[in-house]
Amino acid sequence: MARPSPKPDAAALSRLLLDARGRTLAYAGDLSGEQLLGPKLPIVNPPLWEIGHVGWFQEHWCLRHRPGRSPAPSLIADADALYDSALVPHDARWSLPLPDLDRTLGYLARVMERVLDRLDREGDADFLRYFVQLAAFHEEMHCEAFTYTRQTLGYRPAARDAVAAAAVASGPWAGDVEVPGGEFLLGAAPDGEGFVFDNEKWAHRVNVAPFRIARAPVTNVEFAAFVENAGYRRRELWSRAGWSWCERAGAEAPVYWNRRDGGWTQRCYDGVRPLRPHEPVIHVSWFEADAYCRWAGRRLPTEAEWEFAAAGVPAAAGEKKAYPWGEAPPVPERANLFGVLDACADVGAFAKGDSAWGCRQMVGNVWEWTADWFGPYPGFVRDPYREYSEPWFGNHKVLRGGCYATRAAVLRNTWRNFYTPDRRDVFAGFRTCAA
Ligand code: FE
């Protein structure tokens, strides 16, 4: 099972860092005034803090980290007390003595300069290669968070998203594909040279029963039928936790939907537009996905089923592909990831990215909720960044596949994302399996 990414050299690593930084500046560095702190909500960070935090993280792992010893001093005073996400409680982040935006960006620039220097000197060192990728991917994940934060708070889209009106209309992509099941290696293969997170390690045998899975994620028009059939008012369609979430949230439809003139509109950033019927439903919680499934007589795929449908190869048991279409990294024709449309496309689009079984958009467009709780694979050992996975085992649900705001370099079929089941601010939709 070949992995696509050979060991990146110093130039490729520098590019990863600079790409992520360009995005931080575009998606958060343009905020001003009150937007830099924003409202105190459990689902967002104050952007000014979050910008400093990505610089702190890069400095911590790429410059200050000394295995077995305490970290070397930071370039700025009180760096850990300000920006260490494991130390600073979420709701304290609004009341810290944070440097202003100019000084924060100055800190980020000085850290970057030193990391690039170090890459020049030590770019062949495995430990530096690992931590540079960790820092770049961490920053990309925060950039996705900057993006959904702008949506949550109704800010104008970042400059590049202004062109998102050119979304791809290619209609629905209905129906199921049949996957025969069998033995499957779930997780990342230890023989690869690419970067993997601790929670993907390692590939292990699971037995998957035959299943039927949708060729595409659930669309807006499909989800609207659930809403209009009183889906949010029928207790029997919801799990106990889901119903209590539904009541607490006062949910009656997906969070950004509004009824107008007998149809639906959807708020996108600071604008409102008619709901596009064949785009995947997005910004739905796991609870909403689960209730929809009960209504439709369907179910969410397990993680293993999802990965089987994305990575498995018919008539080649045990073989696994890095991406739905094969081993080559994502290109714009195959997957709607960051920088392609910067908005959702219809579920019929991106046919060149189909998996071997005929599932479309398993990578890109929207994250897909799975049935499973996020947990360790057998033999789990945490990596140096201890807080990445382990604290979230057991109370987060797994999502797969990335979305239009996910950087291609971060993703692969085995990548596991995770959010609590109540989150509907993130770019999450779902596909279903026959029950
Ligand atoms: Fe972080």
Side-chain angles (χ1 to χ4, degrees), residues 57-139:
F57 189 95
Q58 187 185 99
E59 185 191 28
H60 180 88
W61 291 110
C62 301
L63 298 175
R64 298 174 58 201
H65 180 56
R66 301 183 292 198
R69 297 165 62 197
S70 59
S74 168
L75 293 172
I76 58 167
D78 300 324
D80 299 333
L82 290 174
Y83 296 126
D84 185 344
S85 47
L87 293 179
V88 186
H90 188 265
D91 63 357
R93 294 172 189 173
W94 279 263
S95 46
L96 296 165
L98 295 172
D100 65 17
L101 181 62
D102 278 354
R103 283 161 61 216
T104 306
L105 294 177
Y107 167 52
L108 264 65
R110 284 188 291 147
V111 170
M112 179 68 86
E113 198 183 301
R114 281 167 174 76
V115 175
L116 296 179
D117 276 354
R118 188 170 189 191
L119 270 173
D120 269 349
R121 296 190 312 270
E122 303 170 62
D124 282 338
D126 280 336
F127 79 93
L128 189 61
R129 183 181 296 114
Y130 175 83
F131 287 118
V132 162
Q133 289 178 91
L134 177 68
F137 298 155
H138 172 263
E139 189 159 344

Side-chain angles (χ1 to χ4, degrees), residues 49 53 57 85 138 142 385:
W49 178 87
H53 165 76
F57 189 95
S85 47
H138 172 263
H142 277 283
Y385 174 23

